[in-house]
Amino acid sequence: MSNPFSPREWLQLTMQQQGLLQPQTSVAETISRLSYVQIDSINVVERAHHHVLHSRMPGYQPKMLDSALVKGEIFEYWSHAAAYLPIADYRFSLQRKQQLQNGGKHWFEPDDKVMQEVRARILAEGPLKASDFEHSEGKNGAWWDWKPAKKALEQLFMRGELMVVRREKFQKVYDLTARVLPQGINTEAPTEAEFIRYLIDRYLYAHAFGTAAQIAYLRKGLKSAVAQELVEMHSQGLLASFKVAGQSYFYHCALQLNAPLSNKVWLLNPFDNLLIQRQRLKQWFDFDYQIEVYVPAEKRRYGYYSLAILWRDTFVGCVDVKADRQTGILLLQQLTLEEGVMVNGLDEDFCAAFDIAIKEYARFNSCDRWKLVKANHKGLKQKYARQQKC
């Protein structure tokens, strides 16, 4: 159980496997590498799922994701949350779908009558979204007050009877799975053993190394089975392992560090695959990060929608961002650098990389200028006192 890599090399391996150190060439390739991209609705800037792809694909545009969905290269379903998944992994979504078909519950009690009506309309009329169904019981409320047809659509989707063919202004457009699923896709539900092996292989490919708890993240009742399979794969020579602070970590034996680290800054959103497991982030990158969207304004440390700032292989702070779409200005509401960063003045290498990252991110948000509103570093306030062009 020897450790073949240094702590810093493990960080770089994680970044390499996350697709950050080498440019990815397509949406399908990137999502396959990451195993999923989480979908999120917050839109003070470009939505998180698009940003994840932008961080890994030079020249990425949101229409590329839409195109990949329409072409059947990816599909929408549930990972640990709503996500885009590789179409090659479709059969592994069938386990959850079968559980729901057999009486499992997803948010709401199924209403079979409404579900039959919704299914019949889609069969007759083709793809429809929730707003295509009339609702006579008053104004819609929050998500838990969804109108009956919307609940039925979601239940049919989660059961696997419907798929999302596209989104219109972020609304799902549903059609029958039989009319959406590309030909030749494996539709044989995996055994439990196959599903556990799938989770392990996907996680280790995307994150380089992991524990049973990390691999089974937000998947109820699977940690024990994952732990047993990890031990079995290790005994068969399929995985290697090492220990840190008494915790066993596993990785594929063929893992190699082959992507160089450069002087680059990445701006990563709260739902980025690299950040999503906060305890792992804290332990390995020594970065204590929290999304503050749901934190009262007066208690926020970094800001409403703060991007983590990754410089080379170190997280150095956060920047709260908002796209003012009317003026075309990306607002850096609050730029916070960690203690110990640039103690003796501005680091020219960091500033050069930060400038590039901000300009690229601003253009990605259809902004041609950016403005620093507030910062905790005097040198940055002076350097960026004026509005910056992209």
Side-chain angles (χ1 to χ4, degrees):
M1 198 175 279
S2 61
N3 190 339
F5 300 105
S6 69
R8 188 170 186 183
E9 286 174 329
W10 281 118
L11 301 187
Q12 293 176 19
L13 280 163
T14 301
M15 294 172 64
Q16 170 185 283
Q17 296 306 110
Q18 281 285 295
L20 292 172
L21 300 187
Q22 294 175 317
Q24 306 302 296
T25 59
S26 72
V27 168
E29 174 193 88
T30 307
I31 293 180
S32 181
R33 168 164 287 284
L34 296 173
S35 84
Y36 74 92
V37 169
Q38 184 172 338
I39 302 170
D40 191 72
S41 61
I42 298 172
N43 67 342
V44 291
V45 284
E46 186 60 80
R47 299 187 197 275
H49 41 282
H50 291 305
H51 183 195
V52 168
L53 295 167
H54 161 78
S55 298
R56 294 158 173 84
M57 290 178 59
Y60 171 80
Q61 295 295 326
K63 63 183 179 182
M64 297 178 182
L65 179 63
D66 301 335
S67 176
L69 183 64
V70 170
K71 290 178 181 177
E73 297 172 346
I74 59 174
F75 72 106
E76 279 199 36
Y77 196 62
W78 197 263
S79 179
H80 73 275
Y84 291 107
L85 302 160
I87 196 64
D89 291 0
Y90 177 81
R91 68 183 293 248
F92 295 100
S93 71
L94 296 175
Q95 185 184 68
R96 185 184 187 95
K97 291 169 181 174
Q98 288 184 342
Q99 291 172 350
L100 294 172
Q101 290 167 12
N102 294 330
K105 182 181 177 182
H106 179 78
W107 292 346
F108 313 112
E109 288 292 344
D111 186 326
D112 291 333
K113 181 176 181 296
V114 178
M115 288 166 63
Q116 289 176 8
E117 294 171 353
V118 165
R119 188 190 300 110
R121 273 200 61 186
I122 292 178
L123 175 62
E125 301 175 30
L128 296 172
K129 53 186 181 293
S131 59
D132 292 321
F133 294 83
E134 293 183 0
H135 181 51
S136 59
E137 298 181 12
K139 187 177 180 180
N140 294 340
W143 69 268
W144 54 85
D145 293 323
W146 281 357
K147 59 187 181 182
K150 188 167 185 178
K151 293 179 183 179
L153 285 165
E154 192 64 17
Q155 287 290 337
L156 291 167
F157 167 71
M158 289 302 299
R159 287 185 179 189
E161 295 183 54
L162 300 180
M163 290 183 72
V164 175
V165 292
R166 62 183 181 277
R167 284 186 178 243
E168 295 178 0
K169 296 182 179 179
F170 204 61
Q171 285 192 60
K172 295 176 182 176
V173 180
Y174 303 88
D175 198 359
L176 300 177
T177 294
R179 297 197 297 220
V180 179
L181 193 64
Q183 292 184 351
I185 297 299
N186 189 340
T187 57
E188 181 182 353
T191 64
E192 182 177 354
E194 287 176 324
F195 185 70
I196 295 300
R197 179 69 68 93
Y198 158 77
L199 291 180
I200 291 171
D201 284 337
R202 271 300 191 186
Y203 187 91
L204 297 184
Y205 180 67
H207 294 274
F209 61 97
T211 67
Q214 291 167 354
I215 294 167
Y217 176 67
L218 293 183
R219 295 180 183 273
K220 294 180 181 180
L222 293 183
K223 181 180 174 182
S224 177
V226 168
Q228 292 176 17
E229 184 63 18
L230 285 169
V231 172
E232 180 63 23
M233 293 176 72
H234 183 265
S235 69
Q236 295 174 359
L238 300 175
L239 297 179
S241 68
F242 65 95
K243 275 193 174 182
V244 171
Q247 177 67 62
S248 294
Y249 290 85
F250 296 85
Y251 62 97
H252 286 131
C253 298
L255 183 67
Q256 292 183 342
L257 180 58
N258 50 35
L261 191 66
S262 62
N263 184 57
K264 183 171 180 176
V265 162
W266 290 268
L267 305 173
L268 304 178
N269 73 67
F271 305 98
D272 193 277
N273 299 55
L274 184 63
L275 306 186
I276 204 67
Q277 292 192 22
R278 311 292 197 233
Q279 290 183 344
R280 177 185 171 107
L281 188 67
K282 173 65 175 175
Q283 179 180 358
W284 285 93
F285 285 89
D286 193 27
F287 187 56
D288 191 7
Y289 178 75
Q290 178 186 8
I291 182 172
E292 296 182 324
V293 168
Y294 312 107
V295 175
E298 65 276 9
K299 295 183 179 180
R300 290 174 189 149
R301 178 185 175 192
Y302 295 124
Y304 176 80
Y305 194 78
S306 292
L307 309 181
I309 304 172
L310 176 60
W311 179 33
R312 296 172 179 162
D313 57 4
T314 303
F315 284 95
V316 298
C318 287
V319 57
D320 183 28
V321 290
K322 180 179 180 180
D324 187 332
R325 297 178 172 95
Q326 289 187 337
T327 63
I329 300 175
L330 177 71
L331 299 174
L332 310 191
Q333 307 272 56
Q334 181 177 321
L335 175 55
T336 306
L337 297 179
E338 297 290 299
E339 287 187 29
V341 179
M342 301 187 290
V343 175
N344 299 316
L346 291 178
D347 186 294
E348 292 183 2
D349 287 342
F350 170 78
C351 289
F354 182 75
D355 284 356
I356 292 172
I358 286 291
K359 288 178 180 178
E360 289 180 349
Y361 185 69
R363 289 193 291 264
F364 172 62
N365 280 277
S366 300
C367 295
D368 55 14
R369 291 163 292 163
W370 62 272
K371 179 181 179 181
L372 178 62
V373 178
K374 181 181 178 182
N376 73 336
H377 191 285
K378 183 178 179 180
L380 290 172
K381 292 178 185 177
Q382 294 173 344
K383 179 176 177 61
Y384 301 121
R386 297 181 180 180
Q387 196 174 104
Q388 305 292 311
K389 293 183 179 181
C390 297

